[in-house]
């Protein structure tokens, strides 16, 4: 004669299996809208506004940016900052950034954050005048970043700069057809 627990065991086993298996179907869930900025990006282009309207678009030419969630050096008198680094056309660069919160002027995008870049250094390898001009433009704009906007489920990052009111448009590497 079977006890009531032995009769329920197959039913409980099947129920437990179904609960465990349904937890594996979360792959199709959308990416959360509050994805943080940490990660790697490829520069698509830099937009520079022109007097009288219009913009000049400078192609990014595979410049890479890595925003880490690690801080390797912190001075006592500065706010907490994370490390950043990347590869340009010829040189590599490195520096620090911090996120100080939402913009003072409210925006329609809740993912806008005040982001400040500082202490940027580079290697000093020479290249063609065109390569060096693009690297200089990129670094000048990067050092003056004051706002970030993450969109497209975290796959596009736009950095707003005080340098010539430039905007730097980045995309996640998996959405970029450029070589690694």
């Amino acid at each position: 004669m079977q006890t009531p627990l032995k009769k329920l065991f197959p039913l409980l086993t099947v129920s437990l299996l179904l609960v465990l298996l349904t937890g594996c179907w979360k792959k199709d869930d959308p990416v959360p809208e509050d994805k943080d900025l940490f990660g790697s990006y490829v520069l698509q282009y830099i937009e520079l506004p022109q007097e009288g309207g219009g913009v000049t678009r400078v192609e990014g030419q595979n410049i890479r940016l890595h925003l880490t969630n690690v801080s390797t050096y912190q001075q006592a008198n500065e706010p907490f900052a994370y490390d950043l680094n990347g590869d340009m056309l010829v040189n590599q660069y490195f520096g620090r950034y911090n996120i100080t919160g939402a913009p003072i002027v409210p925006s329609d995008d809740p993912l806008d954050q005040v982001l400040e870049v500082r202490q940027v250094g580079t290697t000093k390898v020479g290249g063609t005048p065109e390569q060096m001009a693009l690297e200089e433009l990129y670094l000048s704009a990067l050092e003056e970043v004051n706002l970030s906007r993450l969109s497209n489920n975290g796959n596009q990052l736009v950095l707003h700069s005080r340098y010539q009111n430039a905007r730097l448009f980045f995309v996640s590497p998996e959405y970029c057809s450029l070589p690694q």
Side-chain angles (χ1 to χ4, degrees):
M1 183 165 143
Q2 285 188 336
T3 64
L5 186 57
K6 285 185 178 179
K7 288 180 182 177
L8 287 175
F9 186 75
L11 182 61
L12 289 173
T13 304
V14 169
S15 298
L16 182 60
L17 260 169
L18 286 174
V19 168
L20 291 174
L21 287 176
T22 56
C24 296
W25 298 108
K26 298 206 181 253
K27 288 182 179 178
D28 295 332
D29 288 351
V31 176
E33 289 295 323
D34 61 348
K35 180 183 180 251
D36 55 38
L37 293 174
F38 307 134
S40 296
Y41 301 94
V42 177
L43 181 66
Q44 290 180 299
Y45 54 89
I46 301 171
E47 275 189 357
L48 299 165
Q50 299 300 310
E51 283 188 35
V55 295
T56 298
R57 184 180 278 194
V58 179
E59 295 302 316
Q61 298 185 26
N62 206 23
I63 291 177
R64 307 243 171 196
L65 169 67
H66 310 288
L67 298 173
T68 72
N69 59 354
V70 175
S71 180
T72 56
Y73 176 75
Q74 192 67 40
Q75 292 183 9
N77 61 346
E78 69 178 15
F80 187 79
Y82 300 104
D83 295 339
L84 67 81
N85 61 66
D87 301 306
M88 297 182 290
L89 302 171
V90 179
N91 291 288
Q92 288 83 42
Y93 65 97
F94 46 89
R96 318 232 341 117
Y97 76 99
N98 65 333
I99 302 168
T100 59
I104 294 172
V105 177
S107 82
D108 55 353
D109 191 336
L111 297 179
D112 285 359
Q113 294 182 329
V114 176
L115 183 138
E116 296 175 346
V117 176
R118 62 181 186 277
Q119 299 174 345
V120 176
T122 69
T123 57
K124 303 291 184 196
V125 177
T128 68
E130 294 81 16
Q131 290 172 325
M132 301 316 293
L134 177 55
E135 286 190 4
E136 180 62 34
L137 171 63
Y138 174 71
L139 288 173
S140 295
L142 185 65
E143 289 175 330
E144 296 287 327
V145 165
N146 60 350
L147 181 70
S148 68
R149 174 172 287 162
L150 198 59
S151 61
N152 192 19
N153 284 331
N155 295 312
Q156 184 181 45
L157 173 67
V158 180
L159 298 179
H160 297 256
S161 175
R162 290 180 294 267
Y163 180 78
Q164 297 183 17
N165 291 321
R167 292 189 307 167
L168 293 83
F169 288 82
F170 295 88
V171 67
S172 294
E174 56 267 13
Y175 291 92
C176 183
S177 61
L178 294 171
Q180 297 290 327

